[in-house]
Structure formats: structure tokens, C-alpha cells
Amino acid sequence: MHNIENITDDIFWVGVNDRKTQRFENYLPLDKGVSYNSYIILDEKVALIDTVEIGTSENFLEKVEGVLQGRKIDYLIINHMEPDHAGAIKDIIRLYPNVILVGNVKTFPMLDAFYDCSKEHCENNRMVIKEGDTLELGKHTLTFAMVPMVHWPESMVTYESLTGTLFSNDAFGSFGSLDGGIFDDQLNLSFFEDEMRRYYSNIIGKYGAPTQAAIKKLNGLDIKCIAPCHGPIWRTDIARVLGHYDAWSKMEPEAKGVVIVYGSMYGNTEK
């Protein structure tokens, strides 16, 4: 029995929690773990949005099969090629060899460099999309937006218009495993807002200008739900979440004061 959660009637969270890894990317402490979020849209066509880190793929694949109930995946949307998002792509290709991989012009060179998928997956099963392209699944329509350097060159987001769900990749993500729920209104919001700040400052923080460009691009969308690849799914106060990223990417202080950062081997600099 696996914890498969509905976001809507047709959209499912098939993510996994990692409570074993001690350091994210081998240097950021994970005292409370981290989640790798992946999503399935069931329609006339089936779309899987992102995968998970390879060490958690067994649990992930069992969840995927539980949702599909014998159906096949038509499209795998690759919003980001970092291995904590893309680690199970080869497993998906192995189980669903006719799946069409959807990415942008910068996605596929990374895919082949990282996983050498060209030997297992022919060019005919790849869809190269660009800014503003759409993909019809049936009643659900996906629209793609490029968000380069938020935080990798090939980064993009996917917007589902029927439910107003933004599959936001690393943007609006957070450290911390999802314990007791997957939505912001089911969890300790104070903890996750702190962890979102820590995530932003360590993963995305140096890309303030690209983040501002992405926010301006997304402002025209009717966003009712933000589904990132890490941390809670945000559905309660979208303006608050967007406001955090807007302020942080502008490097606006949250309180008045001065921070002095120093190192003092013998204590003299400290004095």
C-alpha cells in the first residue's frame, strides 16, 4: 500500500520522501529530510511530470503503476535535468518504451550526456518544445514556459490551464519531507516557509535576475496551485508564496539591521 494523493480528480502526486540522505547535493544538511515530487495527469493521454532521485525509484515506480492501473504513459515532461528530478527517466523508458519525452532544445543534450538515452530511445519519441507551446492531453492542456537559470540553463515550468496548476520545477520548492500531508494547509507552514527560504538562498539565490524574469512571465497566469519538485504543494495563499520569491530575488531585507560575517581563527578578528 502506497500513499498516492490526489491533487485534483485527474492529477496525482506520486512523489517520495527521502529521510535517509543526510546532505542535499552532498553539502546542505537535511535534518528533516526532503521530498522528490512527481505528478501524473490522467486524461485521454497520460502525462508524467518529472521523476525522482534514482535511490528512491522503486517506491516511485510502484506508485506510478498504482495510479495507471495498466495504462501506459504517453508523455514524460522533463522540466529539469538535475539527477534528483531526472534520476528515474531510464526506468520509465524501460517500462514504457513508447513514451514520448518532452523537453526543450537544451534538455536532450543533457539527457544523452547524463544517461546515454539515445541508445534506448529513438529521436522519433522526443518532442522538442519552445516558449508558449501547448500539449493537449484531452480536457487538460499543458503550456510550457522557459525559466533559464532558475536554476539550470534548461529549466522550464509546465502550466495546466483547466485546474490552474503550475508544475514549477525547483521554483517555490522547500527542504523537508512531507509528513502527514502534501499540501501547505496540512503541514507546519512556519517550518516549511523557513525551509523554503533556506532552499531558495542555497539553490536559487544567486540567480535573482532570472528569477525576476520568471516571476514577470508567470504573472499573466491564473495560478490556483503551485506544485514544485520539492516540499509542499501550495494551494492556500498563492500570492504569499509568489511574494516571498519576489522579495528574495530583489534581495529586499525582511527586517532592519546589519549583518557582519567574519571568521576568527584565534579570536582577534572577533574582538
Side-chain angles (χ1 to χ4, degrees):
M1 181 68 67
H2 289 285
N3 179 23
I4 299 168
E5 295 277 356
N6 285 70
I7 298 177
T8 68
D9 289 342
D10 304 317
I11 302 177
F12 299 82
W13 176 82
V14 289
V16 293
N17 285 307
D18 181 356
R19 301 183 182 91
K20 296 180 179 179
T21 300
Q22 295 184 342
R23 292 185 180 273
F24 193 74
E25 298 180 348
N26 286 326
Y27 79 105
L28 297 168
L30 290 176
D31 298 338
K32 300 295 184 181
V34 68
S35 69
Y36 309 119
N37 298 339
S38 175
Y39 307 93
I40 288 178
I41 303 175
L42 293 183
D43 205 329
E44 294 172 23
K45 299 288 186 179
V46 174
L48 174 67
I49 300 178
D50 294 307
T51 70
V52 298
E53 195 272 334
I54 187 62
T56 60
S57 64
E58 182 178 358
N59 188 357
F60 163 67
L61 294 172
E62 290 175 355
K63 287 187 174 187
V64 168
E65 291 172 357
V67 171
L68 294 179
Q69 294 292 301
R71 293 188 66 180
K72 304 299 183 184
I73 299 173
D74 296 290
Y75 301 103
L76 170 56
I77 313 301
I78 306 173
N79 281 328
H80 187 25
M81 271 305 305
E82 200 166 8
D84 57 322
H85 302 238
I89 287 179
K90 290 192 78 169
D91 287 335
I92 293 296
I93 292 172
R94 174 175 51 83
L95 292 171
Y96 308 98
N98 294 319
V99 65
I100 296 175
L101 306 184
V102 180
N104 60 67
V105 70
K106 295 180 180 178
T107 303
F108 293 109
M110 289 187 178
L111 179 69
D112 292 333
F114 290 4
Y115 302 114
D116 199 16
C117 287
S118 58
K119 294 179 180 178
E120 303 165 332
H121 202 257
C122 68
E123 293 294 328
N124 293 335
N125 281 15
R126 297 182 177 189
M127 180 184 295
V128 180
I129 53 89
K130 60 185 183 301
E131 181 74 34
D133 280 356
T134 60
L135 178 60
E136 301 285 344
L137 302 178
K139 63 183 180 180
H140 297 276
T141 300
L142 305 181
T143 303
F144 304 101
M146 306 301 116
V147 289
M149 300 318 298
V150 185
H151 63 123
W152 273 24
E154 89 303 351
S155 293
M156 67 182 198
V157 298
T158 301
Y159 176 70
E160 195 285 303
S161 56
L162 181 66
T163 62
T165 301
L166 178 69
F167 299 97
S168 63
N169 188 344
D170 271 331
F172 314 111
S174 168
F175 296 123
S177 60
L178 301 177
D179 302 324
I182 63 170
F183 295 103
D184 55 348
D185 52 9
Q186 298 172 329
L187 299 164
N188 181 347
L189 190 56
S190 175
F191 166 78
F192 278 105
E193 283 191 313
D194 285 346
E195 288 297 279
M196 184 168 74
R197 180 188 292 105
R198 186 166 75 94
Y199 185 90
Y200 176 86
S201 62
N202 284 282
I203 305 297
I204 299 174
K206 55 184 172 290
Y207 302 115
T211 301
Q212 276 293 304
I215 290 172
K216 289 182 173 64
K217 183 180 294 186
L218 299 176
N219 272 342
L221 300 177
D222 181 19
I223 301 173
K224 296 183 174 67
C225 177
I226 297 176
C229 280
H230 303 290
I233 298 165
W234 305 93
R235 67 180 181 182
T236 303
D237 192 346
I238 301 301
R240 180 185 180 94
V241 177
L242 292 171
H244 284 325
Y245 259 58
D246 187 40
W248 297 340
S249 58
K250 290 176 180 175
M251 297 189 180
E252 293 178 349
E254 296 185 16
K256 293 182 178 180
V258 176
V259 175
I260 301 175
V261 181
Y262 65 89
S264 185
M265 185 177 293
Y266 299 108
N268 295 312
T269 300
E270 182 181 12
K271 290 179 182 179

